[in-house]
Amino acid sequence: MSNTLEGIRVLDLSRVLAGPYCTMILGDLGAEIIKVEAPGGSDETRGWGPPFQEGVSAYYLCANRNKKSLTVNLKSEEGQRVIHQLVKESDVIINNFKTGTMDRLNLGYDELKKINPELVYCTITGFGETGPYKDFPGYDFIIQAMSGLMSITGTEESGPQKVGVAITDILTGLYACIGIQGALLERTQSGEGQKIDISLYDSAVSSLVNIASNYLMAGKIPERLGNHHANIVPYQTFDTSDGSIVIAVGNDRQFAQLTKLLGHSELADDERFQTNAKRVENRGQLSPILNALFKQESTAHWTEVCRQNNIPCGPIQNLSELTKDPQLQHRDMFIEQEHPIAGDIKLVGSPLKLSKTPVQYQSYPPSAGEHNEELLQTIGYSTEEIDELKKNHII
């Protein structure tokens, strides 16, 4: 079975999450991913834990399947020559070093495009390679704070809150993946590669979507609404007799139907609640009324009733409940791979469902330097030369 990106080789000089997440997606789609680290392994996530499984970090495992591992001392001239040789046979190179580091290592775009004019060169930094913040280090937590995401997450009582995962890393990885594939597609027309400059800060700000648009149009700084929606009511959590449920009413027709299910259809005729705009204006009056009604039955009851009547809803699930969800099991969203050190490992699967070229899980997340000999031999290094590189701590 062929893969979507079969024949594409990617040199992945990134680490932690944004870059590795991007290249894992490309690897799932069939690209050959060569994960490049310093000798011994320099991706910090290898040591991030617990939990560990037989010494292997769960964090590292989450973003590094479908890759081969090469260790190279990029600070050495011989190590740089190894990358130069690989660039000749590669389509993409991605890194997340600080701005200017790749140039100092003789691995900048201007240098590498001389070796391979078709190369797509992607950089991921905290703030981008231009502008007054270009030299600042950027971490997800910092970016969530600066980008406005934390200012709209949480409640007025809780204060600013971060999202529970490194969401700006994930967004940046997705944008990098989109940009790389777009550049590869353009290359089929021009025959040339290009440089892609992706930043966590830009990616996070782009995710503000309607909240940013609201401010840009109205000039009003948004308040923290917790589990409420800024522009739609009711679109929030409600307490039930045994837990909580999310109700997401998107239009006036759905609201009228919801009020019937709750046994109080008169609410839909109430002048304060007849339209979404009025419900947003009067959310402080409507929400307590609805919450009292939802408390009369269980989460399971309301989930079933709302689904039967096409009211968008969902229970708040923890990870234990999530992994047992029959929908996710049907969609193969949890997979297992055999790892030579960790044994049987469980991972989140890919959400990409392609009918002709489905994603494939061909290899487990590799140990540092696991494929050194195999990869170096493909670019002409002999066994003796590889042994010399090992002796000199180049690989």
Side-chain angles (χ1 to χ4, degrees):
M1 185 180 295
S2 63
N3 293 113
T4 306
L5 296 178
E6 185 174 349
I8 298 297
R9 171 180 271 190
V10 179
L11 294 181
D12 180 8
L13 278 64
S14 69
R15 61 199 192 283
V16 185
L17 189 54
Y21 191 73
C22 167
T23 55
M24 183 178 71
I25 297 171
L26 298 174
D28 287 350
L29 290 170
E32 179 189 11
I33 311 298
I34 301 175
K35 183 177 179 67
V36 180
E37 300 175 73
S42 53
D43 189 326
E44 294 92 328
T45 62
R46 291 185 182 274
W48 285 3
F52 296 95
Q53 188 164 312
E54 300 299 327
V56 181
S57 162
Y59 200 123
Y60 168 75
L61 293 174
C62 81
N64 286 287
R65 64 171 173 253
N66 284 338
K67 301 178 184 181
K68 298 176 180 178
S69 176
L70 174 70
T71 54
V72 180
N73 181 357
L74 299 179
K75 296 179 181 179
S76 67
E77 291 185 9
E78 184 57 42
Q80 293 163 15
R81 278 195 288 272
V82 168
I83 299 300
H84 288 178
Q85 288 296 111
L86 285 167
V87 162
K88 293 179 181 178
E89 308 298 328
S90 298
D91 301 279
V92 179
I93 187 168
I94 180 171
N95 80 89
N96 65 344
F97 291 115
K98 286 184 180 179
T99 300
T101 300
M102 288 287 279
D103 290 319
R104 289 193 294 273
L105 295 172
N106 297 312
L107 300 174
Y109 178 58
D110 290 338
E111 180 79 15
L112 297 188
K113 74 176 181 180
K114 296 175 186 175
I115 299 171
N116 181 357
E118 297 183 4
L119 185 69
V120 172
Y121 187 108
C122 181
T123 68
I124 293 176
T125 57
F127 296 95
E129 293 207 313
T130 61
Y133 297 170
K134 65 182 178 63
D135 296 320
F136 293 172
Y139 291 85
D140 172 83
F141 196 6
I142 296 169
I143 300 300
Q144 287 201 43
M146 294 182 62
S147 67
L149 278 174
M150 286 181 64
S151 77
I152 60 171
T153 305
T155 65
E156 291 304 312
E157 293 75 22
S158 72
Q161 297 284 305
K162 72 179 184 67
V163 179
V165 296
I167 191 67
T168 67
D169 279 328
I170 297 302
L171 289 168
T172 304
L174 291 170
Y175 277 122
C177 189
I178 293 167
I180 287 168
Q181 292 182 89
L184 289 172
L185 185 61
E186 192 280 335
R187 191 181 68 171
T188 65
Q189 303 297 320
S190 68
E192 296 178 345
Q194 60 181 295
K195 184 177 181 180
I196 305 170
D197 175 5
I198 303 284
S199 87
L200 273 70
Y201 201 24
D202 295 345
S203 299
V205 171
S206 76
S207 74
L208 295 176
V209 288
N210 62 295
I211 299 298
S213 182
N214 291 347
Y215 173 75
L216 292 172
M217 289 185 65
K220 181 181 177 181
I221 296 176
E223 57 185 318
R224 286 183 293 277
L225 296 173
N227 292 326
H228 295 258
H229 195 288
N231 303 104
I232 310 172
V233 173
Y235 198 105
Q236 64 198 81
T237 56
F238 290 105
D239 296 330
T240 65
S241 63
D242 62 354
S244 300
I245 189 172
V246 168
I247 299 294
V249 167
N251 56 53
D252 297 337
R253 177 187 55 77
Q254 288 180 348
F255 178 68
Q257 181 65 20
L258 176 64
T259 62
K260 290 180 182 179
L261 299 180
L262 291 168
H264 286 270
S265 57
E266 74 277 2
L267 289 171
D269 297 322
D270 190 309
E271 185 177 338
R272 297 169 297 171
F273 313 135
Q274 285 179 341
T275 66
N276 178 70
K278 290 182 178 180
R279 292 193 294 274
V280 171
E281 182 180 348
N282 297 294
R283 75 165 77 233
Q285 299 171 56
L286 178 60
S287 291
I289 296 172
L290 298 181
N291 203 58
L293 296 173
F294 276 107
K295 276 187 176 181
Q296 296 175 7
E297 298 287 352
S298 68
T299 298
H301 168 83
W302 290 122
T303 300
E304 181 178 358
V305 168
C306 287
R307 285 176 175 171
Q308 287 177 348
N309 289 275
N310 297 315
I311 301 298
C313 69
I316 299 175
Q317 299 187 131
N318 61 33
L319 270 292
S320 176
E321 294 164 329
L322 183 73
T323 53
K324 299 183 181 83
D325 191 307
Q327 177 68 15
L328 296 176
Q329 292 177 350
H330 178 83
R331 300 282 290 177
D332 297 322
M333 282 306 298
F334 300 103
I335 65 169
E336 295 186 7
Q337 287 188 309
E338 188 64 29
H339 191 282
I341 298 174
D344 183 30
I345 59 175
K346 297 179 180 179
L347 302 172
V348 176
S350 172
L352 299 171
K353 313 298 182 186
L354 284 72
S355 63
K356 184 179 179 182
T357 55
V359 301
Q360 297 183 42
Y361 309 113
Q362 298 184 7
S363 60
Y364 56 83
S367 299
E370 183 173 339
H371 303 93
N372 280 356
E373 293 189 15
E374 172 191 336
L375 292 168
L376 290 172
Q377 287 172 355
T378 65
I379 54 174
Y381 281 82
S382 66
T383 300
E384 293 74 21
E385 289 171 324
I386 294 172
D387 289 339
E388 190 68 18
L389 293 176
K390 291 179 183 178
K391 179 181 176 181
N392 294 325
H393 305 291
I394 303 300
I395 62 174

